[in-house]
Every structure is written in structure tokens, then in C-alpha cells.
Amino acid sequence: MSIMVKVEEKLYQNRYIVDESRPHIQIRNADVCKSCDSQACTVCCPAACYSRNETGGVTLVTDGCLECGTCRVVCQDKGNIAWDYPRGGYGISYKFG
């Protein structure tokens, strides 16, 4: 018998070590996000690192990033995401693989 487990419950098991001095993802230009019609990063990021803010722009919180690169793909036409792997010892640590 299999038990259904929600994705959020599995994501909670992962651990993330934040590199506060050097975030591995940055929004290059906040004005580009304000003019973006879709703001796809706010709905496509599986870790919900991106959210719409009160000024019509996008807020990025890198804590909990899964390092999947989805944000780079959905923002590829605008090229407004500066993304690099975290330094050694920082970033996501997957419990389930």
C-alpha cells in the first residue's frame, strides 16, 4: 500500500545553507521585471523563491532554492536572471537523492 506524500512535505526535508555574503541568484534589473507581462518566475519556481511585490516588480528570496534553473529558462528571452552555482559548502542538501 502506498501513501500519498505532498511535495511540500518532501521539500521541507531538504536543508539549505545560505551564503549571505554571495547569493547565487540575482535579478539583474528590477525595472525589467516590472515591465515583464508574464512574470513567469513567480509561478514556475518550484521553491516559490520569486513573488510579486506591491510595486509591480518581483522579489527574490534565495533561501530554499532548489538550484533547478527553472528561473533561467522562463526568463531566457529577457536574460534578467544572474544565476550561478553556490560556493562549495553552501546551497541545497537533498535528503531524498
Side-chain angles (χ1 to χ4, degrees), residues 7-48:
V7 171
E8 293 83 6
E9 291 175 15
K10 288 206 176 217
L11 289 176
Y12 179 76
Q13 298 295 318
N14 296 328
R15 296 294 172 249
Y16 192 85
I17 301 171
V18 178
D19 187 356
E20 294 184 24
S21 65
R22 188 178 145 225
H24 72 285
I25 306 173
Q26 295 178 342
I27 294 173
R28 290 187 173 134
N29 184 343
D31 292 333
V32 172
C33 292
K34 284 183 182 180
S35 66
C36 181
D37 294 331
S38 66
Q39 293 183 336
C41 58
T42 62
V43 293
C44 292
C45 177

Side-chain angles (χ1 to χ4, degrees), residues 3 14 20 39 75 77 88-89 94:
I3 299 172
N14 296 328
E20 294 184 24
Q39 293 183 336
C75 191
D77 59 330
Y94 292 103

Side-chain angles (χ1 to χ4, degrees), residues 44-63:
C44 292
C45 177
C49 293
Y50 297 85
S51 61
R52 289 187 174 125
N53 60 34
E54 62 279 350
T55 64
V58 174
T59 300
L60 168 62
V61 178
T62 60
D63 302 8

